[in-house]
Amino acid sequence: MKKQTNVFKFGGASIKDVDGIKNVAGILASRKEERIVIVISASGKTTNHLEDVMNAYFNKQADVREKIEVVRRHHFGLIDGLFEPGDEVYALVNDLFVEIDWIVEEEPKHDYDYIYDQMVSVGELLSTRIVASYLNKIGIPTAWVDARDIIRTDATYRESQILWEDTERLVETTLTPLLDAGKFVITQGFIGSTDDNQTTTLGREGSDFTAAILSYCLDAVKMIIWKDVEGVLTADPRLFKNVQKLSRLSYKEAIEMTYYGASVIHPKTIKPLQNKNIPLYVQSFIDPTIEGTYIGPDVDDHYPPIVVLERNQTLLHIATRDFSFVVEHHMAYLFKTFAELRIFINMMRNTAISFTVCVPDLPEKIEKLKAILDKEYSVTVENDMELITIRHYQEEVLKSLTKGKIVLLEERLRNTVQMVVKNIPLIERI
Ligand code: ADP
Ligand code: ASP
Ligand code: MG
């Protein structure tokens, strides 16, 4: 019989400080008998800080070293709080900073996305080294595995695609003997490697996806994502009051919610789990005794209204200059151009000669798009939009959400309403 492997994912918030790491160790210590693969993100806001380093380096700013120091101080602060001076973890962490120091010593020779992956991936290498060493120190035998030895990807830097067959083989052959030897396995979320050993990343917030990939490859019995919330809620509690916990969700509802931007789980997480019917639990690392959210098969699709709000959206109005019908002559070209620039369309609508889309506010990409389209199309850009999606909507919820806002675009499908809204400036509210 196949052994019952569990895959756990701990995000940056759970290991943001010394107490957080001790708390995670406590959760694992109470499950010593289980067979567990642990996927870990970078600690706290490290990925953002490494992006700052990357941008400073690439733009040749004078403060690159200071920005590296922010990351260095944070990690040495963690190990000072967890280990005795002289512990071997100091050298392991130091070696990882040497890699960053080497990169910034020379002028940027490669393109941005390639260097980004070499630099930003260090965040997960650091956090996993620290947590794995700490678990071993407190008597929980744990193997540290470099995700670049098991997650194979293509060379689309910053958005790499998984090479599934290679990954399946490598995961099985590398992790199974370690688990069979009675160890926990810790590896990095978010990062992978090409065939020729170049580090890649799977896209921001990609650690959940890594955990789902490993769950799939190992035929896990369950995956748990440990969060600072009690489970999946009807809306982001940072943005809305009176949210409720959803105790059960179907894969379908979870994939829809996350696709529309519910940032509690990465949208790519659900598919590999659904393909093998592996249940996903979202649970609180603050109070592990609280029952979280179960996501899986056999769930009745009856839900309260679920709200997803995405800020920093841009509305683009693209009109043909020669008055030709947009649907007949232009759609394929426009979609191709968006895809090539990797601009993700959140909502769209067309009239006879125009096409309006809501996209994330990415000024550089939008400038490139305008330059490409300029000859044939007039393009107008409206910034500072919000995109609200309501699943299983009720009219009163719609009313309260749009109070004080101008709705610029609205679409109602069977159980989903999407609206692009703008806050009304105070003066117009009088
Ligand atoms: P991690 O450290 O695991 O990466 P994140 O900060 O990315 O964690 O995700 C957890 C946060 O997601 C929560 O603190 C919450 O504010 C936010 N969130 C957004 N939408 C939801 C939702 N529908 N249910 C629960 N949390 C949500
Ligand atoms: N550390 C990466 C990020 O912040 C991946 C993740 O946390 O999931 O995007
Ligand atoms: Mg996250």
Side-chain angles (χ1 to χ4, degrees):
M1 203 181 79
K2 227 172 167 162
K3 309 245 178 61
Q4 308 243 307
T5 307
N6 301 285
V7 176
F8 286 7
K9 182 260 172 172
F10 289 98
S14 64
I15 50 151
K16 69 176 192 304
D17 52 24
V18 168
D19 288 344
I21 294 174
K22 287 185 177 169
N23 177 57
V24 166
I27 292 174
L28 294 167
S30 67
R31 294 166 181 256
K32 259 187 180 164
E33 303 315 313
E34 294 176 34
R35 205 175 147 92
I36 305 178
V37 175
I38 305 146
V39 173
I40 296 201
S41 305
S43 166
K45 297 276 170 241
T46 298
T47 305
N48 292 357
H49 294 147
L50 287 169
E51 283 188 345
D52 292 344
V53 174
M54 174 63 202
N55 292 332
Y57 164 62
F58 205 74
N59 299 325
K60 303 189 176 147
Q61 287 165 221
D63 56 355
V64 180
R65 303 267 166 201
E66 279 159 52
K67 293 194 184 308
I68 297 174
E69 276 319 299
V70 172
V71 184
R72 199 189 308 262
R73 268 200 306 276
H74 174 69
H75 288 88
F76 279 94
L78 293 178
I79 53 181
D80 286 344
L82 293 167
F83 301 90
E84 307 303 323
D87 192 288
E88 62 167 19
V89 74
Y90 281 89
L92 294 172
V93 166
N94 206 42
D95 287 351
L96 291 165
F97 280 102
V98 170
E99 285 184 25
I100 298 181
D101 292 336
W102 275 347
I103 298 176
V104 302
E105 232 154 63
E106 289 184 28
E107 297 265 300
K109 276 202 298 273
H110 297 274
D111 68 39
Y112 183 94
D113 290 354
Y114 172 82
I115 309 172
Y116 176 103
D117 281 1
Q118 314 316 305
M119 175 103 76
V120 172
S121 54
V122 174
E124 268 69 12
L125 295 168
L126 285 165
S127 63
T128 49
R129 276 296 189 197
I130 294 171
V131 177
S133 299
Y134 184 66
L135 291 176
N136 281 311
K137 181 191 147 179
I138 62 167
I140 304 176
T142 305
W144 180 88
V145 171
D146 192 326
R148 295 169 298 183
D149 293 334
I150 51 176
I151 304 284
R152 268 299 153 275
T153 71
D154 68 3
T156 320
Y157 295 101
R158 295 184 71 190
E159 271 178 52
S160 302
Q161 303 298 311
I162 300 298
L163 304 178
W164 282 95
E165 279 173 22
D166 292 344
T167 301
E168 249 184 295
R169 179 176 45 78
L170 291 165
V171 168
E172 173 68 31
T173 51
T174 314
L175 301 195
T176 305
L178 298 169
L179 293 164
D180 285 347
K183 292 186 178 199
F184 283 168
V185 167
I186 280 201
T187 194
Q188 306 79 44
F190 178 55
I191 76 174
S193 162
T194 61
D195 269 344
D196 51 354
N197 290 328
Q198 303 299 323
T199 304
T200 54
T201 66
L202 311 180
R204 286 299 310 259
E205 303 293 329
S207 296
D208 295 346
F209 183 38
T210 305
I213 296 164
L214 298 183
S215 300
Y216 177 95
C217 296
L218 292 164
D219 283 321
V221 283
K222 67 172 177 299
M223 169 170 151
I224 305 182
I225 299 184
W226 297 89
K227 287 274 165 188
D228 60 356
V229 282
E230 290 180 12
V232 180
L233 308 167
T234 48
D236 187 341
R238 285 177 299 196
L239 305 173
F240 295 94
K241 284 193 218 130
N242 304 327
V243 293
Q244 280 169 256
K245 183 170 74 191
L246 295 154
S247 49
R248 290 169 70 78
L249 279 175
S250 64
Y251 288 126
K252 178 170 167 284
E253 189 58 32
I255 206 164
E256 293 286 353
M257 273 180 82
T258 54
Y259 171 81
Y260 287 123
S263 60
V264 62
I265 309 170
H266 190 285
K268 285 188 176 173
T269 311
I270 305 299
K271 181 179 182 294
L273 300 177
Q274 187 274 342
N275 288 174
K276 285 206 175 166
N277 261 346
I278 300 166
L280 168 64
Y281 295 84
V282 178
Q283 210 166 314
S284 163
F285 62 74
I286 299 166
D287 185 351
T289 61
I290 301 174
E291 205 169 306
T293 299
Y294 162 88
I295 301 168
D298 316 320
V299 178
D300 281 347
D301 271 318
H302 290 295
Y303 302 101
I306 298 174
V307 180
V308 182
L309 172 69
E310 284 206 273
R311 296 217 160 109
N312 304 325
Q313 301 290 303
T314 293
L315 212 49
L316 297 174
H317 304 278
I318 302 167
T320 60
R321 291 195 191 275
D322 66 356
F323 269 46
S324 53
F325 291 134
V326 86
V327 175
E328 282 179 17
H329 307 292
H330 300 274
M331 275 314 197
Y333 171 70
L334 289 172
F335 281 129
K336 186 167 148 277
T337 312
F338 276 88
E340 276 166 7
L341 291 171
R342 299 214 200 113
I343 302 178
F344 181 72
I345 299 176
N346 282 326
M347 196 175 161
M348 57 193 157
R349 172 77 61 81
N350 71 284
T351 68
I353 59 161
S354 80
F355 181 52
T356 299
V357 288
C358 174
V359 297
D361 184 8
L362 300 165
E364 277 173 29
K365 288 190 178 184
I366 289 171
E367 276 315 305
K368 278 190 198 158
L369 179 82
K370 277 177 74 179
I372 296 170
L373 299 184
D374 187 59
K375 211 165 150 233
E376 275 189 81
Y377 307 86
S378 79
V379 181
T380 9
V381 179
E382 280 187 87
N383 290 318
D384 295 327
M385 300 287 154
E386 289 178 354
L387 176 66
I388 305 177
T389 306
I390 307 142
R391 303 264 305 152
H392 318 287
Y393 64 93
Q394 292 162 1
E395 288 304 325
E396 60 268 32
V397 177
L398 288 189
K399 247 193 236 148
S400 76
L401 283 172
T402 49
K403 213 164 139 199
K405 304 192 187 249
I406 306 169
V407 179
L408 289 140
L409 208 59
E410 178 175 330
E411 186 171 74
R412 292 186 187 221
L413 296 170
R414 205 161 55 92
N415 55 11
T416 308
V417 177
Q418 277 204 295
M419 291 177 295
V420 178
V421 302
K422 196 175 175 70
N423 283 318
I424 304 173
L426 274 180
I427 199 138
E428 288 175 29
R429 285 199 200 168
I430 296 168

